[in-house]
Amino acid sequence: MKHAGIAYETKTDSSGQQVMTSIAGIKAGQYGGQGSWRSAVYGRFGSWMCEENAAGRLYIEEGGTLLLYYGNDKTELIDQIEKEWIYNGQTVSGRPSAHTPFKLTVRKSNPAIGGLLASGITVTIDGKKKVTDAKGVTAWNGLAPGVHVVTMTGYRNGTVPAAAKRLYYLTVSAPERASFQDRAQVADWATDGMSNALWHGLIQGVSAQSSILAPKKRWRAQNSR
């Protein structure tokens, strides 16, 4: 935070540990004495370790994520995001294809248990906001290929959040290489790389309206986002 220029304050508690008391001007106990700055670690196996469950200090292992959040004992953490979309009339899981309707299911954790359906979470993608239903689901009409930032929050006015904010990076694939009119022009040595780039949403063709890859063109400035 010091490197990013974010103001913060700490104090030494009764056990001799340094604890956060303020971040970016938001102080512990700000909402009628409720709430404090807390920490949790998201491990590589897809679950949260909250500070109250840790045997001593929290440690970040390789591939883990540290979360600092303002909340209380009832503030929950968003842990899993499931994706479903329709392919050839069947519901499939995984990254959605471009401009194809899909659903996001959000799950949450508390210090006792994880994998709970997260209702009432505000989900924002490309400026559009939706709130998860009783099953933790939001439905979307489809997105352009590329990587989209998904913001999920459980903010409540005048009190601590119901759920801590989380960002998720949603990859939307471009259409398969076989769907492009000029797919035969892709050199043999480049077919695997081209397919992989389309799958990861890195490229989408020369325009969003055409089914043209134009692999022989000398200009290749057609990254999706």
Side-chain angles (χ1 to χ4, degrees):
M1 290 188 293
K2 183 181 294 186
H3 180 73
I6 300 173
Y8 66 93
E9 298 175 6
T10 64
K11 73 174 184 179
T12 303
D13 65 12
S14 58
S15 65
Q17 299 289 330
Q18 287 289 311
V19 295
M20 287 284 181
T21 58
S22 175
I23 298 178
I26 302 176
K27 297 181 179 295
Q30 181 162 314
Y31 298 107
Q34 300 182 54
S36 60
W37 283 102
R38 296 165 173 252
S39 59
V41 170
Y42 193 74
R44 56 183 173 179
F45 298 110
S47 61
W48 288 104
M49 171 61 75
C50 298
E51 57 185 5
E52 53 263 52
N53 293 339
R57 295 184 178 182
L58 284 174
Y59 291 94
I60 308 175
E61 58 186 7
E62 185 176 355
T65 301
L66 172 66
L67 174 67
L68 296 175
Y69 66 100
Y70 190 89
N72 59 18
D73 292 340
K74 296 183 179 179
T75 301
E76 296 175 306
L77 305 179
I78 296 169
D79 58 6
Q80 300 174 27
I81 297 90
E82 300 164 1
K83 307 170 289 290
E84 289 185 340
W85 55 291
I86 304 299
Y87 180 76
N88 289 338
Q90 298 184 29
T91 300
V92 295
S93 300
R95 63 174 55 129
S97 186
H99 310 295
T100 301
F102 66 95
K103 294 180 180 180
L104 292 180
T105 300
V106 181
R107 295 184 180 270
K108 63 186 179 182
S109 293
N110 59 41
I113 191 170
L116 303 170
L117 294 174
S119 62
I121 299 297
T122 300
V123 181
T124 305
I125 306 177
D126 295 346
K128 296 181 180 179
K129 295 184 178 183
K130 298 190 178 186
V131 178
T132 56
D133 63 16
K135 295 183 178 181
V137 175
T138 56
W140 303 84
N141 291 329
L143 300 171
V147 179
H148 301 259
V149 179
V150 180
T151 304
M152 293 163 284
T153 60
Y155 289 152
R156 298 181 295 184
N157 188 33
T159 187
V160 296
K165 177 181 178 180
R166 184 174 180 191
L167 300 181
Y168 176 76
Y169 297 92
L170 173 66
T171 299
V172 177
S173 299
E176 297 177 351
R177 183 171 56 86
S179 68
F180 288 90
Q181 298 177 27
D182 57 348
R183 57 188 178 276
Q185 296 182 26
V186 179
D188 291 342
W189 61 266
T191 54
D192 288 345
M194 181 72 75
S195 297
N196 190 53
L198 290 167
W199 171 246
H200 285 87
L202 300 176
I203 60 174
Q204 60 177 318
V206 296
S207 76
Q209 292 75 34
S210 69
S211 297
I212 302 296
L213 285 168
K216 302 300 183 182
K217 291 284 187 180
R218 298 187 66 179
W219 49 271
R220 298 296 298 135
Q222 52 108 350
N223 285 339
S224 61
R225 292 177 72 80

